[in-house]
Amino acid sequence: MNKKSIILALAALVVMFSGCSKQPSPVTDEPSLSTDESIDISKLVGQAPLSLAGLVEFSASQQYSPLDSIYNRPPEDMAGNYVVQLSKSNEIVNLAEDVTTFVQEKNILAAGFRNGVVRMYGGGCAAVQAASEPVNSVSWFSDSPFVAVSSGENDSVEVFNVRKCARVRVHEVNSTVDVFTLSPRGSWLALVDKARRLWVGPADGRLRRIDRFSYKPLSLTFSKEEGILMGVDATGKMIMWSPLKLTRIFDQKIKGGPFKSVHADGPLLNIVTEKGDRFQWDVSKRLKSPYHESDNGFYLRNGVLVYRSPRNIFSKKVQFKPVSFVVDLSPSGKVYRVKDVDGGVRYYSSVSGAALDGVQDFADWEKVRLGLDYGFSGNGREFTLAVPIAQREFQRLYCRYIPSKGYYLWWKKVSRPDDYFKSRGSLPRREGIAASAPLAWEPLESKKNDIRD
């Protein structure tokens, strides 16, 4: 093959696996992200927002190429010169870049951006524009008609009506805002300024100063029914107020401080101490339990808003190298040694075909000749390294399963044409290399168990 034809073949393969310019590199299915940096907020105001499930689904479709593309045969010169590896891991979806903060509850999410825009998904309007940039903090709940935003130098909290996409109040307290929160139904807003003064009042009305924290506040939340406002400071002092009566009604010291961070999830507080210890505190039961942290969900990573799904999906990597197997037999050890398609070396029993661990080296290795379908025989038994799962004209698709590494697929030129699929949409796996071992077929599509379902 001359140099020009190799370049053309590689280019064709890249196009085949990438699909469109927004999809990931053919070498790996790690998610990529492209965004419109020239967003015009006036075009978003008043529009119905995309659902949160729709945002995740659309973003995933732009970042992961369809797995069914494994059945697309390559240019003739590339058959046998590359391998596709499919391995399972949690689906990672990049949702937006230049994100500075976000809040997510149930099926709604609001994300604040470096340019002062707050985008909303799952309710309200599509976006609002803060007075300054960047957006520093956002408070919003699924049952609230308001979203509260701080931006720029944190000299105020803006309140927007998400049903009308309109700013309805700007709360200024002659100081820098330190922390603030809306109540779950949007009835109340509470904020603490740099002087640690606590201000409470209607979200779209006048705030009143009702108390002052002795130490830095780390958490400020309302109860689900909005009848209690709770704050926790760095020493572990927990205080409760009545937002209706604007009075303190209870206080308690949580042992283990000083604290570095406190995050409330209903009546449960996830606490990290200055020493790095982590635990959860149940406010209603006054009980300490292990710290709760989910690996899945939404998080920020270097300015990118990311969703990690509990779905285990197949990710795809392409290795540009000739497909190769080398098999040797040790008659004394009754062992086959296989230099595999991934370059690794594995050992199998020449009696049963079962995988073997901790095999010692032998001096009597003999080369084994492979058949056209990567099969071979010995002592009256049949063995195979791959399963043909499809053929398109003169190219056949093979699959090999390697435990802990996944599935390896490649196309090979054959002498007789055909056109078939075996269990399209599923991949075969077997234990060991005995041809008589039963095949189990695993679907390409993962079970649906995340925010899109």
Side-chain angles (χ1 to χ4, degrees):
M1 190 188 310
N2 60 41
K3 185 175 181 181
K4 183 176 180 181
S5 63
I6 292 176
I7 293 174
L8 290 174
L10 285 171
L13 190 65
V14 167
V15 170
M16 179 183 70
F17 274 96
S18 61
C20 67
S21 61
K22 290 186 180 180
Q23 290 185 350
S25 161
V27 176
T28 177
D29 251 6
E30 286 297 316
S32 57
L33 178 67
S34 59
T35 59
D36 182 9
E37 295 181 354
S38 59
I39 179 175
D40 183 356
I41 187 64
S42 65
K43 295 181 180 180
L44 292 176
V45 173
Q47 290 186 7
L50 184 67
S51 69
L52 184 53
L55 170 67
V56 174
E57 184 66 32
F58 174 77
S59 300
S61 71
Q62 299 297 290
Q63 294 162 38
Y64 290 95
S65 57
L67 290 173
D68 200 60
S69 64
I70 63 172
Y71 297 107
N72 298 335
R73 59 178 176 165
E76 184 177 347
D77 291 340
M78 288 305 299
N81 288 315
Y82 74 95
V83 178
V84 176
Q85 180 187 3
L86 295 180
S87 57
K88 275 198 165 182
S89 60
N90 285 86
E91 183 181 21
I92 306 294
V93 185
N94 292 334
L95 303 176
E97 61 183 3
D98 290 333
V99 178
T100 52
T101 185
F102 78 96
V103 61
Q104 183 262 331
E105 187 244 357
K106 297 180 181 177
N107 291 319
I108 62 106
L109 182 145
F113 289 79
R114 195 174 297 165
N115 60 1
V117 172
V118 178
R119 292 194 186 187
M120 287 163 281
Y121 303 94
C125 55
V128 295
Q129 176 73 58
S132 305
E133 55 185 60
V135 176
N136 297 319
S137 187
V138 177
S139 181
W140 187 35
F141 294 90
S142 56
D143 294 329
S144 171
F146 302 116
V147 59
V149 180
S150 67
S151 61
E153 299 299 323
N154 285 333
D155 53 5
S156 66
V157 174
E158 301 172 81
V159 177
F160 296 85
N161 185 315
V162 298
R163 295 167 184 165
K164 300 179 180 179
C165 294
R167 184 185 292 107
V168 295
R169 190 82 183 190
V170 178
H171 293 287
E172 297 177 324
V173 292
N174 298 320
S175 181
T176 302
V177 176
D178 189 18
V179 60
F180 68 92
T181 184
L182 283 169
S183 60
R185 293 197 292 268
S187 304
W188 306 100
L189 183 135
L191 71 83
V192 181
D193 61 25
K194 190 176 181 180
R196 301 195 297 271
R197 296 174 298 183
L198 174 63
W199 303 78
V200 181
D204 59 347
R206 178 173 171 268
L207 301 184
R208 292 180 58 185
R209 192 182 106 184
I210 68 168
D211 210 335
R212 181 172 182 168
F213 283 86
S214 300
Y215 298 92
K216 178 178 176 60
L218 299 179
S219 176
L220 194 64
T221 55
F222 285 90
S223 63
K224 183 179 180 180
E225 299 302 323
E226 301 189 324
I228 296 175
L229 170 65
M230 180 177 68
V232 182
D233 69 20
T235 69
K237 187 174 183 179
M238 181 180 66
I239 308 173
M240 295 183 183
W241 298 267
S242 166
L244 184 62
K245 297 180 179 180
L246 302 178
T247 56
R248 185 186 294 202
I249 57 177
F250 178 78
D251 61 74
Q252 177 190 26
K253 187 68 174 286
I254 303 173
K255 295 180 180 180
F259 298 148
K260 182 179 180 180
S261 67
V262 178
H263 295 286
D265 182 11
L268 303 176
L269 302 176
N270 284 314
I271 298 173
V272 179
T273 70
E274 290 286 357
K275 294 181 179 180
D277 297 329
R278 297 181 170 210
F279 66 92
Q280 188 175 84
W281 181 258
D282 190 317
V283 175
S284 59
K285 298 179 181 178
R286 303 185 189 183
L287 291 176
K288 189 176 181 180
S289 59
Y291 187 89
H292 175 73
E293 187 174 29
S294 174
D295 291 332
N296 302 316
F298 298 87
Y299 60 93
L300 273 179
R301 181 180 62 194
N302 300 324
V304 176
L305 179 60
V306 180
Y307 176 64
R308 187 180 193 272
S309 170
R311 289 184 185 180
N312 266 330
I313 68 164
F314 282 110
S315 59
K316 184 167 51 181
K317 294 181 180 179
V318 180
Q319 302 169 13
F320 293 100
K321 62 178 184 178
V323 177
S324 174
F325 290 96
V326 178
V327 180
D328 300 296
L329 167 66
S330 169
S332 65
K334 297 181 180 180
V335 173
Y336 285 114
R337 181 178 63 187
V338 177
K339 186 176 180 183
D340 229 320
V341 66
D342 65 335
V345 176
R346 295 175 180 86
Y347 298 89
Y348 299 89
S349 167
S350 64
V351 177
S352 65
L356 301 174
D357 293 324
V359 175
Q360 64 181 10
D361 202 5
F362 297 97
D364 60 341
W365 292 111
E366 301 173 355
K367 187 75 68 178
V368 175
R369 185 173 181 178
L370 293 181
L372 295 178
D373 273 343
Y374 305 97
F376 57 95
S377 60
N379 297 323
R381 298 176 178 85
E382 297 295 325
F383 303 94
T384 185
L385 298 177
V387 179
I389 61 172
Q391 185 169 329
R392 308 300 303 276
E393 297 186 355
F394 290 94
Q395 293 188 38
R396 187 175 297 161
L397 179 62
Y398 289 89
C399 177
R400 169 150 173 78
Y401 174 73
I402 300 177
S404 80
K405 303 206 62 178
Y407 297 90
Y408 290 78
L409 301 102
W410 64 94
W411 289 88
K412 178 184 176 182
K413 288 185 284 187
V414 293
S415 58
R416 293 186 178 182
D418 205 341
D419 197 343
Y420 69 83
F421 296 95
K422 291 182 180 179
S423 298
R424 182 166 185 162
S426 297
L427 298 176
R429 59 194 295 176
R430 62 159 46 98
E431 298 295 328
I433 60 173
S436 59
L439 285 175
W441 293 84
E442 182 174 2
L444 285 170
E445 294 297 327
S446 61
K447 293 182 179 179
K448 299 180 178 181
N449 59 346
D450 70 0
I451 199 164
R452 289 164 284 185
D453 308 318

